[in-house]
Amino acid sequence: MFIIKNANILTMTGKNREGEDILVKDGKIAEIGPNLTTPQGTKEIDASGKTVMPGMIDPHTHLGVFEEGNAFEGDDVNELTGPITPELRALDAINPFDVGLRDARTKGITSVITGPGSGNVIGGQSYAIKTKGEIADEMLMKEEPVGLKAAFGENPKRIYSSQKKSPSTRMATASLMRKAFFEAKEYQRKLEEADDDKSVDLDFKKEVLRKALNNELTVRAHAHRADDIMTAIRISKEFGFTLSIEHCTEGHKVAKQLKEHDIPAVVGPSMTARSKVELQERSFETPKALYDEGVKFAITTDHPVIPIYTLPICAALAVKEGLPKEEALKAITINAAEIAGIDDKVGTLEEGKDADILVFDGDPLSVESNLDYIFISGEEVTS
């Protein structure tokens, strides 16, 4: 148990609090308010003149799955033996001792979504984890996966054309995805019409796709270019699954369509070189364009594409291009939590939520500010 006193609190609920206190008990925020009584024996942290905010969240990473500095031995991000692999689970590849996870927690990124890469048309299942822990199962924020990775554009067709396999075009990528969901839909129909469970052979892959069709899993679609974004939207409407657009590099071109279809976006990595055609229009102006259109969005580093600790810098650069600061902070806290489906636990400072709390000595988006305290589930982070 501990209490943070006299803090300027960025709650990320739309109502900030000046000079108030936060009481933490059993890893949760127990109370927020002015002049709280410090329970006997409770550690007291004086946060006078300091800024307190929720732990930051990156909703699209490969932390623990694509380890830093371990080359082939630590690269478990893409199973490039077939383009449709929904059955794969990132949980089975997470190494809690990846140095990227240490970088995340010591720089205030307290929770992330980590998952497969974009080599396959359907790549597998992503998980929400805290960045502190030594056993992957104990780092999970939800036992079940929070997303199904799909990919459009350059990556799948480049990889499989080099193997002389399909897809080698965007048409084939879309076709393979449609075929997978069509077969899963037919499989579901047979299960629903079956007299008993034994009259239809269970299918491991189709069981995962069924969850997406039933909106138990969000399809998180890698799509940079505007036309690929629209293809993802088109297929999601055909099959009725919940969609988020990941990367959304040319989202500024189709912001109206994203708003019309109520599809959120995870933008980034924007602080990277234009290493392929899809990235030619990458810009920190995209978040502002999405905000202006009313699209819910978050910001990502896509770690290890760019280091996880640059997440607040990416938010700050979006502010420099016209995004309001409050919206930039939302993009790495509550918006990220809502898009990831973990906003019941994190993303804001509210009573009953996990005590993922950061104490800054200045502006959280300034590179000159220091983190005086980091707490994950009420435990102080030192390394």
Side-chain angles (χ1 to χ4, degrees):
M1 184 187 301
F2 64 90
I3 189 168
I4 300 172
K5 301 287 289 184
N6 309 313
N8 294 324
I9 305 171
L10 305 179
T11 66
M12 305 316 303
T13 64
K15 180 184 178 182
N16 296 328
R17 298 166 178 257
E18 292 189 10
E20 296 194 16
D21 310 334
I22 304 176
L23 177 65
V24 172
K25 184 177 181 181
D26 298 326
K28 302 286 185 180
I29 297 172
E31 190 175 359
I32 302 176
N35 305 313
L36 298 182
T37 300
T38 302
Q40 187 174 2
T42 299
K43 177 182 178 180
E44 190 171 286
I45 297 170
D46 183 8
S48 299
K50 299 184 186 299
T51 300
V52 175
M53 66 173 284
M56 291 179 278
I57 303 163
D58 191 326
H60 181 111
T61 78
H62 308 288
L63 281 158
V65 181
F66 192 173
E67 301 169 40
E68 282 194 70
N70 283 347
F72 172 79
E73 291 76 12
D75 179 359
D76 293 299
V77 76
N78 284 304
E79 176 62 39
L80 301 177
T81 54
I84 306 294
T85 57
E87 72 279 14
L88 303 182
R89 306 191 313 164
L91 175 62
D92 299 319
I94 295 171
N95 178 6
F97 298 97
D98 177 10
V99 294
L101 283 163
R102 181 194 64 200
D103 287 347
R105 63 179 173 266
T106 57
K107 299 302 180 182
I109 297 90
T110 56
S111 51
V112 300
I113 305 303
T114 190
S118 53
N120 288 347
V121 176
I122 299 177
Q125 300 162 75
S126 302
Y127 284 78
I129 63 171
K130 293 292 180 78
T131 55
K132 179 178 172 60
E134 296 184 352
I135 304 294
D137 307 70
E138 296 172 1
M139 297 163 70
L140 291 178
M141 300 179 68
K142 291 189 172 184
E143 289 187 10
E144 295 298 316
V146 297
L148 178 64
K149 182 64 175 284
F152 295 85
E154 294 180 29
N155 289 6
K157 73 172 199 167
R158 182 183 68 250
I159 286 162
Y160 285 97
S161 63
S162 70
Q163 298 182 22
K164 307 300 182 185
K165 297 178 182 178
S166 184
S168 62
T169 64
R170 281 177 164 82
M171 293 184 293
T173 295
S175 176
L176 285 170
M177 190 171 297
R178 282 191 177 95
K179 183 174 185 288
F181 279 111
F182 179 86
E183 290 176 350
K185 195 172 183 178
E186 180 66 8
Y187 170 74
Q188 178 162 285
R189 183 189 65 78
K190 290 179 179 179
L191 285 176
E192 291 170 349
E193 294 178 354
D195 294 331
D196 57 73
D197 292 341
K198 295 180 181 178
S199 53
V200 179
D201 291 334
L202 293 180
D203 187 298
F204 190 30
K205 292 187 176 187
K206 292 185 179 68
E207 284 293 323
V208 178
L209 295 173
R210 279 185 67 204
K211 291 183 178 181
L213 290 172
N214 294 329
N215 292 314
E216 297 171 34
L217 268 180
T218 296
V219 175
R220 304 191 183 279
H222 165 113
H224 286 279
R225 240 168 56 174
D227 56 333
D228 291 324
I229 293 170
M230 291 310 302
T231 300
I233 293 174
R234 189 179 307 119
I235 295 175
S236 76
K237 295 307 170 186
E238 289 174 23
F239 291 95
F241 54 73
T242 303
L243 177 71
S244 70
I245 298 296
E246 312 281 306
H247 306 307
C248 203
T249 302
E250 293 186 6
H252 50 279
K253 293 182 175 180
V254 290
K256 288 183 180 180
Q257 286 75 18
L258 289 167
K259 176 62 177 177
E260 177 187 346
H261 295 289
D262 194 26
I263 295 172
V266 176
V267 182
S270 302
M271 198 165 65
T272 184
R274 296 178 178 86
S275 56
K276 56 183 180 178
V277 173
E278 291 176 337
L279 299 178
Q280 294 306 301
E281 294 199 35
R282 66 106 179 92
S283 169
F284 282 102
E285 296 177 4
T286 301
K288 172 65 160 50
L290 296 175
Y291 166 70
D292 287 344
E293 199 60 48
V295 177
K296 180 175 289 184
F297 69 93
I299 291 174
T300 181
T301 62
D302 194 15
H303 180 96
V305 175
I306 60 172
I308 186 71
Y309 56 76
T310 64
L311 184 62
I313 299 173
C314 293
L317 289 170
V319 173
K320 188 175 181 180
E321 296 299 333
L323 184 69
K325 183 177 287 188
E326 180 79 5
E327 296 302 319
L329 288 168
K330 286 169 64 176
I332 56 175
T333 55
I334 183 56
N335 283 6
E338 288 177 351
I339 292 170
I342 53 175
D343 53 300
D344 59 326
K345 300 177 183 294
V346 295
T348 60
L349 295 180
E350 295 181 88
E351 294 172 4
K353 285 198 172 183
D354 292 358
D356 290 6
I357 302 172
L358 310 179
V359 181
F360 284 91
D361 67 1
D363 182 346
L365 297 185
S366 171
V367 294
E368 295 181 348
S369 296
N370 296 305
L371 266 169
D372 289 345
Y373 294 94
I374 304 164
F375 297 96
I376 299 180
S377 299
E379 294 186 12
E380 186 172 358
V381 172
T382 56
S383 64

